[in-house]
Amino acid sequence: MTNALLDQRKASARQWFETLQGQIINTLENLEDELAGGKSAHRFSKKPWVRAGDGGGGTMALLHGKLFEKAGVHSSTVHGEFSPEFRKQIPGAEEDPRFWASGISLIVHPVNPNVPTVHMNTRFVVTSKAWFGGGADLTPVLNARRTQEDADAQNFHAAMKDACSKHAVADYTKYKKWCDEY
């Protein structure tokens, strides 16, 4: 892949993650509005941050509302070098320790104890190789068995299984087992 094509992909990925962050923020604020029966006072506060050292940064967005006890939607684009200890664990970093990564993280803790907490993150990572990676999970609350039988949890897992089935390297059963044990 040429440097120009890689730079174009990196710019596209960064823009996509930042746009996705805005869409998720709007959706969660709209849900707060619906609960309030109009425009809610609960809004995301956004704060830019800068990565010390090598470089990059992003935008943290945090909401404390009536529907969501706490919701975070963070985007970032960072670059630098992996530490010597970490290089062996990252594809392409042993040949060249430099990296670039852009992504989004989502953490949503509903007020309702019957609704599972959701965590999700995904990144476009570039070393001497390039790939997308990440994960998502529902953290069961109250009774784990009841949560697994819940229609929303079943829909979540069906969507995860469907997404994994489209990629030979994504083994849903293996990933679900890791998550359940974690």
Side-chain angles (χ1 to χ4, degrees):
M1 178 179 326
T2 68
N3 283 342
L5 180 58
L6 184 57
D7 287 345
Q8 181 182 2
R9 287 186 177 175
K10 287 164 51 172
S12 293
R14 179 182 188 155
Q15 180 61 45
W16 187 80
F17 286 122
E18 290 172 356
T19 299
L20 180 60
Q21 179 189 34
Q23 292 170 341
I24 293 170
I25 287 170
N26 288 340
T27 298
L28 297 179
E29 286 181 345
N30 287 340
L31 291 170
E32 286 285 342
D33 291 346
E34 284 180 35
L35 181 68
K39 189 81 165 176
S40 168
H42 301 287
R43 291 294 186 246
F44 275 87
S45 62
K46 296 178 187 174
K47 180 180 176 185
W49 62 273
V50 176
R51 181 172 180 260
D54 291 330
T59 303
M60 296 185 301
L62 217 57
L63 169 82
H64 296 276
K66 290 196 175 214
L67 184 60
F68 303 106
E69 176 184 357
K70 187 175 187 181
V73 185
H74 311 309
S75 66
S76 64
T77 300
V78 297
H79 53 86
E81 284 193 17
F82 287 118
S83 68
E85 308 81 44
F86 199 54
R87 292 173 190 169
K88 295 176 185 172
Q89 300 174 38
I90 303 297
E94 279 192 273
E95 298 86 35
D96 183 346
R98 293 176 296 165
F99 72 90
W100 179 96
S102 189
I104 189 167
S105 297
L106 172 69
I107 310 100
V108 179
H109 296 260
V111 171
N112 185 333
N114 295 302
V115 179
T117 297
V118 177
H119 299 108
M120 185 276 301
N121 71 73
T122 188
R123 304 272 179 269
F124 179 52
V125 181
V126 178
T127 60
S128 60
K129 301 179 183 208
W131 70 96
F132 279 89
D137 66 73
L138 292 177
T139 303
V141 292
L142 299 179
N143 181 313
R145 179 181 166 97
R146 193 175 97 204
T147 302
Q148 290 174 357
E149 294 169 356
D150 180 76
D152 289 335
Q154 290 174 0
N155 290 337
F156 173 87
H157 284 283
M160 289 291 128
K161 189 172 187 176
D162 181 57
C164 288
S165 72
K166 295 174 183 167
H167 306 280
V169 297
D171 182 342
Y172 170 81
T173 304
K174 175 181 168 182
Y175 294 155
K176 183 177 182 314
K177 184 175 188 274
W178 282 350
C179 230
D180 290 346
E181 290 173 358
Y182 175 75

